[in-house]
Structures are given as structure tokens and as C-alpha cells.
Amino acid sequence: MASHSLLVAPPAALSKPLFIPSRLLLGPGPSNLTPRVMEAGGLPVLGHMHQEVYQIMDEIKQGIQYVFQTRNPLSLAISGSGHCALEAALFNLLEPGDSFLVGVSGIWGQRAQDIAERIGARVCQMVKAPGGHFTLQEVEEALARHKPVLLFLAHGESSTGVLQPLDGYGELCHRHQCLLLVDSVASLGGAPIYMDRQGIDVLYSGSQKVLNAPPGTSLISFSDKAKNKIYARKTKPVSFYLDIQWLANFWGCDDRPRTYHHTTPVISLYSLRESLAHLAEQGLEDSWRQHREASEYLHACLQGLGLQLFVKDQALRLPTITSVVVPAGYDWRDIVKYIMDHHNIEIAGGLGPSAGKVLRIGLLGGNATRENVDRVTRALREALQRCPRSKL
């Protein structure tokens, strides 16, 4: 028998049926789920240590190796979003006092810096204005000056729409006894990336963009050089949940029997497995082509409306997320709200250092189609006609 009376009554809101509108998600993520992934979300729950779930985990590892183009045995999924994968990388690779070089050209460099400072790393910055990228010469000069153990670059800087070149950067880091950490959350599946061939030591991505899976899981892989640094640590990582030595064992990446670490989001693993299977069946090269062609069509349509692309150099434009200069006289919030209210389409404003400067349109995975480009172009044209515009 209960020993106390209840202070909180059942919420009236929870007595109502759940309603979720159908919406076209053309922001920077999450993206719409594919039917195959939706079906996976309705499958029965199994125990997180059942053999069938271990088999799914093994298949996810193989999928990660394919989409990352790596043979690294230490490849696994993190039970958390891309932020969790970034923290897993930094928590395990950096110890207090380590020199960490971070390329800051948007919000993800800022976040990497913030996380590293919290764990006592000595953070050194390379800074570019939004829309910029880092050249090999700039990186080489910074490596020589700061002598870091780790360099962070965002391959796809979703806050600005920049695609950071990667060829030669891994080799350069290794000549300076530095590891290369790359964020591919916004680029994976939409732009070419070759982890092993480009000498990337740690690569991570997320489930909710080109993979068209629910937010909440992320992908990560470590080279042997990175693994050796982790296993030679003098101190324990600050997070047990993100301790890669524990996770490597739980995901079957070592030769020891699996030991319980945490309860994985089993349904999310089903969805992630199916999203990786879909991309494997399509083929990376075909997916890269799809995103390139869809983004080029979008760019032409936007320029046809008289809009200005934020990233001037076509070779540096992220195929998955296009940034557009907010047209003079308009409030970006009005445009975003109008398109949502009248067309049920999500686009987004800027983020971090690009806030107030750009609109962002995402063509992610199955959403990267000419039909969707036509829909958002019509919505934008109407918004520009109907939204208030101040006289300059």
C-alpha cells in the first residue's frame, strides 16, 4: 500500500492522442526517414545482449567500414548523437595538458574547442570567418608552431555550407606526429571521403542526415595510431559511458568475450542497420553523384530567384547543405516561418557564427531530388513575394 498521497495528478495532455504532422524536412537535419527505416522502428525489441542484437551490431560495424572506406577493426556506433561521437573522440584521445589544434570556421570547431577545454587540453585555434576553409599551408604552419597531438577539422561544416578539402591533410599531420580527427556528420554519403586513403585517424558521423535514420546514434572509427594512443593513456577518460576501451569490447572489436557496458537503444540500432544497408545497396559513388546533381540544380534555381550563394567557390560547397545569403531587407525568421506555415517545409537559418547571415537548405539522402528542389524553390519564391521587406 502506498505510504503517501500523490502530489502530481496525471497530466491532461497525456490523455490526448499523439499527433505528428507530415512535413518535408529540408533543413540541415534531421531528414525524413525512408520507409525501410520506418519499418525497422516497429520491429520487436530484443535484449541488448541477445545474439541476434550482437549480429546486428556486427553488421553495423561492417556498414561503418564501408561508408567510411576503412578497414579499421575499431569501428562502432555510439549511443548518442554526433555530439556524443565528438566527445568520445576527444575524451579518449586527449589528456590534461595535451596540445589540441582546432580549425574553427563554424560552430563545430567552436564545439570541439569547448569540449577540449573542459577536459584540460591546451587548445590552439586556427580561425577563419564563416565560409572559409583551411589550406595545407595554413595547417602545416600551425602544426609546426603548436606541435599538437590532435588536429580537428570539419569535413562538412553544416553551419556555413563549406566542404573542407581533406587530401594531403592526414599525411601532413603524421609528418608532425599529430593525429587527424574529422567531423563528417553533414557530409557522409553526400561527398566523397576515404578514411584510410586520406590518412584520417578518427572519423565520426551521425545517423540523422544522409543516412535518413532517427537522430540519436552516431558512427565512429579509430585508426591503429589512434587506438594505440587511447590504450596507452596515463589517466582514465573523464566519461565511463564514452570510454572506448569498454565500448570496443562491447562492440566485439577486441579478442575478448563481450562484457556489458550499457543498454543500447536497440530499436535505433535496427534503424541504423537498415539505413546503412540502404546506402550500401545504392552504392557510395551513386549517392555522391545524386547529391552533387541535386545540389547543383538547387544552386541554379536559387540563383534564378536572384539569391546569392554564401560559399563563392563551387568546389568548396557542401553538396548536402546549401547556405544562401539572407536577401537584403528581409528577416530570415519571416522566410523560414512562412515556408513552414504555408508549405509545410522546413528550412533553417544560420547557426553559431552564421546566425542571421544565411538560410540553410538541406538535401539529405532520399530528400536529395529535383522534385524537392522544385518544391522548396516555389515556396521560396512565394515567401519573397509575401514576407515584409524593409526599405534600405
Side-chain angles (χ1 to χ4, degrees), residues 191-228:
I193 191 165
Y194 310 88
M195 184 174 187
D196 287 359
R197 292 187 182 275
Q198 291 175 318
I200 299 168
D201 292 292
V202 187
L203 182 63
Y204 70 91
S205 192
S207 58
Q208 77 277 15
K209 297 190 188 281
V210 170
L211 287 175
N212 297 137
T217 55
S218 50
L219 300 64
I220 196 164
S221 181
F222 297 84
S223 70
D224 286 342
K225 287 187 179 73
K227 176 184 175 181
N228 291 340

Side-chain angles (χ1 to χ4, degrees), residues 27-61:
S31 57
N32 295 95
L33 308 186
T34 63
R36 179 173 182 171
V37 170
M38 291 276 284
E39 290 174 10
L43 295 174
V45 175
L46 295 176
H48 56 286
M49 298 184 75
H50 291 187
Q51 288 301 317
E52 296 87 350
V53 174
Y54 284 161
Q55 177 63 34
I56 290 169
M57 294 165 73
D58 289 342
E59 292 169 4
I60 287 171
K61 289 190 295 181

Side-chain angles (χ1 to χ4, degrees), residues 24 35 59 63 72 77 88 95 144 169 178 182 241 273 292 294 323 347 387:
L24 178 58
E59 292 169 4
N72 293 333
E95 296 193 72
Y169 290 76
C178 176
V182 173
Y241 187 68
R273 188 266 182 204
R292 183 183 67 253
S323 54
I347 66 171
C387 290

Side-chain angles (χ1 to χ4, degrees), residues 95-263:
E95 296 193 72
D98 278 349
S99 177
F100 174 46
L101 179 61
V102 54
V104 180
S105 60
I107 194 168
W108 303 117
Q110 292 179 343
R111 292 287 167 91
Q113 175 183 346
D114 190 335
I115 294 166
E117 288 174 344
R118 291 167 185 255
I119 57 176
R122 183 165 55 85
V123 179
C124 309
Q125 292 180 307
M126 299 182 297
V127 180
K128 284 292 181 79
H133 76 289
F134 301 97
T135 67
L136 281 167
Q137 181 178 345
E138 290 165 340
V139 170
E140 183 163 27
E141 291 171 356
L143 290 171
R145 182 182 314 118
H146 300 294
K147 297 178 173 52
V149 300
L150 182 68
L151 166 66
F152 170 89
L153 293 173
H155 183 224
E157 178 47 80
S158 61
S159 66
T160 63
V162 170
L163 183 70
Q164 167 68 44
L166 291 176
D167 283 343
Y169 290 76
E171 180 185 355
L172 182 60
C173 284
H174 298 158
R175 287 208 307 267
H176 288 265
Q177 290 74 54
C178 176
L179 299 175
L180 176 59
L181 164 62
V182 173
D183 175 327
S184 68
V185 173
S187 59
L188 183 72
I193 191 165
Y194 310 88
M195 184 174 187
D196 287 359
R197 292 187 182 275
Q198 291 175 318
I200 299 168
D201 292 292
V202 187
L203 182 63
Y204 70 91
S205 192
S207 58
Q208 77 277 15
K209 297 190 188 281
V210 170
L211 287 175
N212 297 137
T217 55
S218 50
L219 300 64
I220 196 164
S221 181
F222 297 84
S223 70
D224 286 342
K225 287 187 179 73
K227 176 184 175 181
N228 291 340
K229 187 175 191 319
I230 291 170
Y231 280 66
R233 289 180 64 95
K234 299 180 180 67
T235 60
K236 288 184 178 182
V238 295
S239 170
F240 176 82
Y241 187 68
L242 298 175
D243 187 322
I244 289 299
Q245 292 193 51
W246 276 89
L247 289 171
N249 172 259
F250 190 45
W251 275 83
C253 300
D254 59 24
D255 296 325
R256 296 180 290 117
R258 299 192 202 217
T259 303
Y260 168 74
H261 176 256
H262 72 283
T263 303

